[in-house]
Amino acid sequence: MAPVSFHILTTTSEPSLLSTLRSVPSPSPILFLARAYHWTHAPTLSGVALTGPGAQMHAWTHLLITRTSSLTNLSLPSDLNIDSLITNKWTVTTDVNEDMLTSFPSSQSRRKATSAPSLPPGWSPSDQSALNAAIPPEDLDFSLSSSAVPFGADKTPENKKSLKSFTASFGKTHTGPLAMLNLLAYNPGQRSQYFKYISSFGPGVGGRYGSEAMLLGTGVQEWSSRKDEGSAVADPEKGGSGVWEDVGLVWYPSIWHFAGMLADEEYAEADRKWKRGVLADNPILCCEEIEP
């Protein structure tokens, strides 16, 4: 296992960010860089830090994943030299299997070279009829009806955008692969149950829609807002929830594959069987990879 940091950033200039990161000497600690677009499932835990303390939803711009020195280190690697370009940052650090890290570049190349699974009619930018007709189940914690306020918008109920609506608009111009960052917090004693869900999801409905785990971080020990949230929230030994325990970065061939999967009855069945009552929170950040 090796420590890895997932940094959610707001930057002043993407061209300056990319230019600076391209000059980082080898071996680079950078594993993955992406644009951040939207919380497809809005955070509740660490809500002030992740959505912003004010009246507007915080506008994150990028996700940067790096190797780091230890599980308690939340700083950006010093050789990146991008601190002056960062106006806001939230970091969670966790262990990732070394074999997964070593194979990550070749696995990414394979994913990009693999043809996306075909979708039924009605799940595309030019034909959204199936998306429009989809009726999300009311008993699921996460579905096409899940909503979040867009980045930069006022945090009012009328500004919430359902995932169904987000897919319809975002999917018109963003048709390629996406990475979904999952922050995972469990109800007491339910972590093992979630991994049963993962074991069912990957070979089943997830695989049929091209979903694949890119990075899985286990055993979170530190995140940026932990001290602000206080021991009553963050320390299980003092009666807190423990908050973030695992982190997952998951590949989807497109937002249409992601939405189509959520509308599939097999997904609903797996959710009801394995996930009900398991998660205390599972915010999901929709990202699109860019080359540093």
Side-chain angles (χ1 to χ4, degrees):
M1 304 295 281
V4 170
S5 290
F6 296 75
H7 308 279
I8 306 175
L9 309 173
T10 301
T11 62
T12 58
S13 165
E14 184 175 287
S16 296
L17 177 71
L18 295 177
S19 175
T20 304
L21 292 180
R22 287 176 185 136
S23 66
V24 174
S26 296
S28 171
I30 300 170
L31 293 168
F32 184 78
L33 176 66
R35 294 186 186 97
Y37 288 109
H38 183 66
W39 290 110
T40 61
H41 198 204
T44 301
L45 303 175
S46 297
V48 172
L50 291 171
T51 69
Q56 290 185 325
M57 178 69 80
H58 189 77
W60 300 108
T61 60
H62 295 90
L63 169 67
L64 177 63
I65 304 175
T66 63
R67 287 182 178 266
T68 189
S69 58
S70 75
L71 285 172
T72 58
N73 183 15
L74 298 174
S75 300
L76 288 161
S78 58
D79 52 352
L80 298 187
N81 294 314
I82 60 171
D83 285 7
S84 64
L85 301 174
I86 307 301
T87 59
N88 204 8
K89 177 176 80 74
W90 188 89
T91 298
V92 60
T93 300
T94 181
D95 263 332
V96 175
N97 182 280
E98 186 66 60
D99 289 341
M100 179 173 271
L101 291 175
T102 301
S103 64
F104 184 72
S106 60
S107 295
Q108 273 295 85
S109 297
R110 172 186 53 77
R111 283 186 279 264
K112 293 174 183 178
T114 301
S115 298
S118 297
L119 290 172
W123 295 98
S124 72
S126 59
D127 178 8
Q128 301 190 11
S129 57
L131 173 68
N132 295 336
I135 302 175
E138 296 181 358
D139 62 329
L140 302 185
D141 289 337
F142 182 52
S143 71
L144 288 174
S145 65
S146 297
S147 62
V149 174
F151 291 167
D154 288 340
K155 296 176 184 174
T156 57
E158 57 268 24
N159 279 340
K160 284 188 174 181
K161 195 169 192 175
S162 71
L163 180 51
K164 185 175 180 179
S165 175
F166 173 75
T167 300
S169 56
F170 180 81
K172 289 179 180 178
T173 54
H174 297 80
T175 58
L178 297 175
M180 297 291 182
L181 176 69
N182 288 250
L183 303 176
L184 294 158
Y186 309 103
N187 289 319
Q190 293 298 311
R191 185 171 182 263
S192 61
Q193 180 71 8
Y194 183 79
F195 278 85
K196 292 178 183 178
Y197 163 74
I198 293 296
S199 297
S200 169
F201 173 83
V205 64
R208 287 200 293 108
Y209 285 88
S211 170
E212 184 178 339
M214 300 165 68
L215 292 171
L216 177 60
T218 58
V220 169
Q221 290 191 17
E222 197 64 81
W223 60 93
S224 295
S225 54
R226 182 169 187 154
K227 290 182 176 61
D228 293 336
E229 288 155 14
S231 61
V233 172
D235 189 345
E237 294 182 1
K238 297 182 179 179
S241 66
V243 194
W244 310 116
E245 295 183 56
D246 297 315
V247 181
L249 188 70
V250 184
W251 166 280
Y252 289 90
S254 74
I255 191 66
W256 296 101
H257 289 78
F258 183 63
M261 179 195 72
L262 293 179
D264 194 299
E265 181 57 31
E266 185 182 342
Y267 171 84
E269 291 174 359
D271 189 289
R272 294 182 184 112
K273 182 176 181 179
W274 300 112
K275 284 175 66 180
R276 183 163 290 170
V278 168
L279 292 166
D281 202 12
N282 177 203
I284 301 174
L285 184 62
C286 177
C287 303
E288 183 179 43
E289 183 181 13
I290 49 178
E291 296 292 337

